[in-house]
Amino acid sequence: MKILKGIEIPITICVSYTILSLINTMFDLIKGRDTNPANSLMVLLFSSIAVIVLSMHHLFDEWNPILMIIVQYAIAMGLVMLVVYLGSFIEPVSEGGYREVFVSFTIPYIIGSVFYYIEVFHSAYKQNRLLQEIKKEAEQEILKN
């Protein structure tokens, strides 16, 4: 299974952040709102949380895949809510702010995790297929001897 490591993590964070920032900018333009620099920083922080939590899937390999996905989402959402709570000491959270953060994080997280897990499971499938081919060749070699 492919594991994000080293330089791949910051690159994935940057790509995720860029995509989300462009989408946020388009929505702001459509709605006629000004872009808030604090929101841009939060998008970067939330992108980082999502990528890092998703890249830790190998720690949950022994688990049922559905349970693994749910636990990873719960960890990511918990970290996001903790960041918002800690940020509330600097700037108060608006009424309904936690709900907005929940929705604003959940939708991109689900979309991103679908792409991520498709790649992870596809990679695992390819590795299993390769392993089966190696076993088959080894059995054929044993039968020849």
Side-chain angles (χ1 to χ4, degrees), residues 125-137:
Y125 172 76
K126 284 176 22 181
Q127 288 178 359
N128 285 338
R129 191 172 40 129
L130 182 60
L131 185 59
Q132 294 302 322
E133 289 175 13
I134 292 170
K135 284 181 181 179
K136 185 177 178 181
E137 288 176 10

Side-chain angles (χ1 to χ4, degrees), residues 22-145:
L22 289 171
I23 291 169
N24 278 340
T25 301
M26 288 189 305
F27 280 129
D28 287 344
L29 287 172
I30 290 169
K31 291 184 176 183
R33 296 186 302 190
D34 289 331
T35 303
N36 183 347
N39 286 349
S40 296
L41 289 175
M42 293 305 261
V43 169
L44 176 61
L45 190 55
F46 295 168
S47 296
S48 300
I49 289 170
V51 168
I52 290 169
V53 168
L54 283 172
S55 70
M56 295 179 355
H57 76 271
H58 63 280
L59 299 176
F60 304 98
D61 276 346
E62 306 283 324
W63 296 23
N64 174 321
I66 299 296
L67 181 61
M68 172 183 66
I69 291 168
I70 292 169
V71 167
Q72 282 188 288
Y73 171 73
I75 291 170
M77 183 53 71
L79 289 171
V80 165
M81 290 302 179
L82 178 64
V83 166
V84 173
Y85 173 73
L86 293 175
S88 71
F89 293 115
I90 297 169
E91 186 173 324
V93 177
S94 65
E95 186 177 324
Y98 285 100
R99 181 182 48 78
E100 289 176 20
V101 168
F102 174 79
V103 172
S104 296
F105 179 77
T106 298
I107 293 170
Y109 182 88
I110 289 172
I111 294 168
S113 65
V114 164
F115 284 111
Y116 181 77
Y117 282 116
I118 285 172
E119 176 60 31
V120 165
F121 292 129
H122 179 69
S123 175
Y125 172 76
K126 284 176 22 181
Q127 288 178 359
N128 285 338
R129 191 172 40 129
L130 182 60
L131 185 59
Q132 294 302 322
E133 289 175 13
I134 292 170
K135 284 181 181 179
K136 185 177 178 181
E137 288 176 10
E139 288 173 358
Q140 289 175 353
E141 284 295 320
I142 291 171
L143 291 175
K144 284 182 183 178
N145 295 329

